[in-house]
Amino acid sequence: MHELGLARGIVDLAHAAATEAGAPRVTAVHVQVGRMAGVEAGALLFSFDIAAEGSLAEGARLVIEDVPVAIWCPRCNAEQELQGIQRFRCPVCDTPSGDIRRGRELAVSSIEVES
């Protein structure tokens, strides 16, 4: 379960941000998780609570934004969002594409702290 290691990294980042801001605690951490990131959302939520114990992020909410996979279609000359990750073809014109533009990320997008 690599989500525990990821959760520790997220908590460390949130803890450092709260410390730098002089905040007494973190109230929420928002993360973007791409569908191809290899992260199980339920495991990350569970791990976050464990990783946050004893830190400024203890009791904070972890808000996960699911990021769908999008490819660049050279025929349509546009980014196209895929319904799943089994078929990397443009949903409009059916052109195959390996140019993945979104869906692999794992990023902290914002941190809310108590003031």
Side-chain angles (χ1 to χ4, degrees):
M1 183 164 96
H2 73 109
E3 282 82 358
L4 183 57
L6 297 171
R8 285 189 176 132
I10 293 167
V11 167
D12 288 347
L13 187 66
H15 185 95
T19 300
E20 185 177 317
R25 63 183 286 268
V26 175
T27 56
V29 179
H30 298 257
V31 295
Q32 296 176 323
V33 179
R35 290 185 185 160
M36 290 180 58
V39 176
E40 173 58 41
L44 185 60
L45 287 167
F46 176 77
S47 298
F48 180 80
D49 290 339
I50 294 169
E53 287 179 7
S55 76
L56 295 180
E58 185 169 355
R61 292 178 300 120
L62 180 64
V63 181
I64 297 175
E65 177 189 349
D66 179 50
V67 179
V69 176
I71 59 170
W72 180 260
C73 176
R75 181 176 287 170
C76 297
N77 200 28
E79 187 175 289
Q80 302 290 350
E81 192 171 297
L82 302 180
Q83 296 300 313
I85 59 171
Q86 289 77 32
R87 190 170 185 268
F88 288 86
R89 300 181 79 90
C90 176
V92 176
C93 69
D94 206 35
T95 299
S97 175
D99 188 356
I100 300 168
R101 298 294 175 101
R102 287 186 284 126
R104 292 187 275 203
E105 57 272 78
L106 173 62
V108 173
S109 56
S110 66
I111 298 169
E112 297 176 26
V113 296
E114 190 174 280
S115 55

